[in-house]
Every structure is written in structure tokens, then in C-alpha cells.
Amino acid sequence: MIPSADPFDTATLAALWRAAALASALVLAGCGRPPQPAEPPRPDGDASYVVLISFDGMGPDFLDRTETPAFDRVANAGVQAEGLIPAYPSKTFPNHYSIATGMYPANHGLVDNRFYDPELDAVYSIGDRDAIRDGRWYRGEPIWVTAEKQGVTTASYFWVGTEAPIQGVQPTYFKYYDESVPYAARVDSVLNWLALPEIDRPRLVMLYFDEPDWIAHRRGPGAAAVDSVVRVLDGHLGRLLDGLDTTPVADRVTVILVSDHGMKAAPTDQVIFLDDHADLDGVRTIYTGTQAKLYFGGDTARMEQVYRSLADRLPEHAAVYLPEETPARWHYDQNQRIGDLVVAADPGWVVRPRDGRPWRGGGSHGWDPYHPAMHGIFLAAGPAIRPGDAIPPFENVHIYPLVARILGLEPAGDIDGRPEVLEGLLEPVRP
């Protein structure tokens, strides 16, 4: 029960109002505050804010095919990249965490949407809620951990990694993933967080939309249904942008729009059945559509036998690699979670087991991130961004140092992203 207060005691009333507002926000966040780092929150002053929004599976061409006034509003006020180059494999979990950490998957640990860790003797899968919330799977330092450790409050609505304590830290406000939550409710939570009193207000807010990935997988990336979903997303983005204009920090918010990957058609007749080309009996094999990872548990002789068989017999649309043989641009080695062998399909082809479920076609992703169809989007606007023309494609690991710079944070020291790549996007720092 809230204690009674003298109606003329303005300090008490203000404190009660802040407590009520914070309690309301925590209900919207779906959680209480996790244990906080030792450094106290910074005074807000005229500090910058970042709202980082991901649209899963949004390719740059998706924005060119239909009317997108809200996306255009961001592009016209700031900058837009011709494409955002994902990390390999161009899958959802590895790339959301690469954006968050500034690291390639082999370094941050999420090497695919599904993989095996020999040290833990366990499988990580995006459908396993216990694994997703287990901090042992996550390496590196995501941007919300960097911020919270330095006294900057953060909030996340469904960003990969935020459900687990990483270095013992989670965002001050976060949501456990529930795809049934309407997009409008997600937008409302973001606006409510940014309307909190200064002492409780997050300066970094991360928001995730699971479309147009779902519809593009099922209908194919060129389907009219994809364009319809993109227009729906544009409407929610427009509502968010309008709502930001009404918050106390309207003139201090930089909005960054990204996606984790693009999408390409994968016809039903472009399937490679891996076990047709080698004896895989007893070999732990994890298929993720565009690739397969093979784990031999230290049996070097068996690994060499399977490697030779696949190298000799695989059709031209797939290749087998030792991790150290993968293309250098993939940065995909030096991590036991990758497996002893990697079989990677060419863009448009998938790798499956012969006795698995039939490939139903539609769209897919996960191939070489430098293939244009795998590129995501990057748009940014706000007081920290210098308006300009379209910029060339760049790797998504460079977003972490950009966000850190805007928020005035000291970035983690072991990242792959380089601040100089996007330095030209920033307005000069005010004295």
C-alpha cells in the first residue's frame, strides 16, 4: 500500500510518482531489475539515447518494392547503407549477437542457430528456452553489458542474448521472448521506457521484430505477401517514430534500423542429401539448412575418412571444409563448436539428411554473407548522425563501436568491429 502524504509535500509526491512509474514500467518489462553493476547510474544531463531496431530477414530490396514512408523518413533524415553484411553463417542468432558484441560468431560463441559444444557436451538451439537463458553459451561483451557496467541503463524487447546473465549482467528492463506479443505492444513498451523519469530511463533500447523472416521463408522472398508484411512493419515503425517525438528525450534519440540477414529462394529441387555421399553412421551431424556441422569426438581417422569421401563425392553446389579451410572472409574457425568438418551449400541450395523431412522450398538464408541476397539493412538518423548519401555495404560487427561512441561508452577491448569504419557517419562531438 502507498503511504499517505501531505498534499503540499511536493518532494514526497514526486518520489511516489517516480516509484509508481517505475513499477508500471517493470510490469511492462515483464521482469524486475537484475543485480546491477557496482557503478551507479550516470546523471542524464544532455546525454544521447539510442533505439536499435531489428527487422528479421529484411533485405535491402524489400524496401524498394513497396511504399515504406517510415523507413524513408529515417533514410532521408540520416543515412542508409546499400547493404549490411552479416557474419557467417547468415543466420538469426549469430548475427543479432554479432551486432550486439561487435564480434564474429567464432569469437562470441553463437556459431549457428543450432550447434554442439564438446566441452559442455550439450546442444544449443534457438528453440531450447533453457539453453537460451544459460549464460555459459555467450562469450564476448554485448553492448547492454558494456553500458550497464558503466552506469548506463538499458532495455531490450526480445534481443538475442538478453534473456541470459552475461558476466552476471542483463538489461535493467528486458522481456522473455514471446512471438505472440503484438507489435503495437512492443512499440508501446519502448515509448513507456523512454517516458520514465530520468533516474530510471534507459539510454539504450533494443527492439526486435520477427518479420519479414517468417513470411519470406514460407512464401519465398519475392512473394507479394512479403511486401504486405513490410508495409505493416513500416506502419509500426512510423508509430514508433511519432511516439518518440512526444518523449522527454525527443531531440536526443538516434534511431538505428538493422536486420540480421537477407533472404534467397531455395527451390525444392536444389537439395543435397549429405548421407548419400559419405557413411555418417555414428557421426554427430547437425543440419541447419544451408550447412551441416560434423563432430567426431576425437576420432581423427574417421574424420579423415569422411572428409575424403565428401571431398571426392559432393556435387558442385556444396563443399566440405576443415574449419581452418573455410574462406577467410567468413572468420569461421578456432572454435570447437563449429565442428570438425563443415559442409556448406552454395546460395540457393540446402543440405539435408536423406531420411529427414522433405525440403518445402520457399526462402532461406545462412549462405556466404558476401552474397548480395544475404545482406541486411542499415539506416540511421538522429542528432548523432550526419545526414548524407547512401554508404557502401559494411560488416555488421562495426555497429557495436558506433553505438558505444554515441552513448559515450568505452568499448570492450577484444572486439572485431573497428570504430573508424563508421566514424564518418557521426556528427562532430559537442564540447
Side-chain angles (χ1 to χ4, degrees), residues 117-411:
D117 186 320
E119 184 176 336
L120 297 176
D121 190 23
V123 172
Y124 181 97
S125 174
I126 62 175
D128 184 340
R129 307 313 301 173
D130 291 335
I132 285 170
R133 298 173 186 177
D134 185 345
R136 295 178 301 168
W137 291 103
Y138 303 89
R139 302 172 185 170
E141 183 175 286
I143 188 66
W144 59 87
V145 174
T146 300
E148 296 277 354
K149 286 169 63 176
Q150 296 179 40
V152 172
T153 301
T154 66
S156 167
Y157 213 117
F158 296 163
W159 201 278
V160 171
T162 56
E163 295 184 31
I166 299 171
Q167 300 180 26
V169 179
Q170 288 176 270
T172 298
Y173 313 107
F174 69 94
K175 280 278 195 178
Y176 291 113
Y177 185 68
D178 179 357
E179 65 182 7
S180 70
V181 176
Y183 291 165
R186 306 181 197 189
V187 170
D188 287 344
S189 285
V190 168
L191 296 176
N192 284 324
W193 283 330
L194 292 172
L196 285 170
E198 177 183 310
I199 192 172
D200 303 311
R201 186 187 306 140
R203 286 182 48 210
L204 169 64
V205 178
M206 306 172 77
L207 172 62
Y208 169 77
F209 293 105
D210 48 279
E211 289 282 20
D213 181 82
W214 192 92
I215 191 67
H217 269 299
R218 281 146 186 80
R219 301 290 186 86
V226 173
D227 298 341
S228 297
V229 168
V230 169
R231 289 192 293 270
V232 170
L233 292 166
D234 186 81
H236 288 292
L237 175 61
R239 183 167 171 271
L240 175 61
L241 296 175
D242 291 341
L244 291 176
D245 288 341
T246 70
T247 66
V249 294
D251 60 343
R252 290 187 276 158
V253 177
T254 295
V255 175
I256 301 175
L257 312 179
V258 300
S259 62
D260 47 354
H261 53 73
M263 190 75 67
K264 181 175 174 56
T268 57
D269 60 349
Q270 294 190 178
V271 179
I272 296 164
F273 296 108
L274 193 60
D275 39 2
D276 284 356
H277 307 290
D279 177 11
L280 301 180
D281 186 41
V283 178
R284 182 187 293 271
T285 306
I286 293 185
Y287 294 91
T288 56
T290 58
Q291 68 164 225
K293 293 178 291 298
L294 283 63
Y295 305 83
F296 292 85
D299 189 341
T300 303
R302 182 76 192 284
M303 181 195 72
E304 291 176 350
Q305 177 188 36
V306 171
Y307 177 81
R308 287 194 299 270
S309 180
L310 291 174
D312 291 342
R313 299 178 59 187
L314 275 174
E316 60 177 334
H317 296 294
V320 60
Y321 301 98
L322 296 166
E324 60 268 26
E325 294 175 336
T326 57
R329 64 182 179 275
W330 292 0
H331 305 277
Y332 204 59
D333 57 7
Q334 305 299 318
N335 192 313
Q336 61 181 353
R337 295 176 175 180
I338 292 170
D340 299 300
L341 297 178
V342 178
V343 177
D346 287 348
W349 290 75
V350 297
V351 179
R352 308 280 285 182
R354 171 61 71 177
D355 61 354
R357 290 181 299 175
W359 176 244
R360 62 188 174 192
S364 196
H365 53 88
W367 297 292
D368 188 331
Y370 277 80
H371 190 287
M374 292 299 95
H375 290 185
I377 63 167
F378 176 88
L379 303 89
I385 301 297
R386 186 196 305 268
D389 298 329
I391 61 174
F394 64 91
E395 292 184 323
N396 64 17
V397 293
H398 304 305
I399 293 174
Y400 170 97
L402 175 72
V403 174
R405 172 69 181 276
I406 294 171
L407 294 174
L409 302 173
E410 181 67 29

Side-chain angles (χ1 to χ4, degrees), residues 23-105:
S24 175
L26 290 173
V27 170
L28 286 167
C31 65
R33 284 179 180 262
Q36 295 301 293
E39 186 169 337
R42 294 181 184 178
D44 186 69
D46 61 351
S48 298
Y49 289 72
V50 171
V51 176
L52 177 60
I53 309 171
S54 171
F55 301 86
D56 197 321
M58 181 82 78
D61 58 310
F62 289 12
L63 300 181
D64 297 332
R65 298 190 332 218
T66 189
E67 297 297 317
T68 54
F71 284 96
D72 294 344
R73 176 175 164 187
V74 176
N76 293 336
V79 295
Q80 180 174 8
E82 295 169 354
L84 182 63
I85 302 171
Y88 186 83
S90 46
K91 296 289 186 69
T92 295
F93 269 51
N95 279 283
H96 277 95
Y97 203 56
S98 283
I99 292 169
T101 60
M103 302 175 77
Y104 298 116

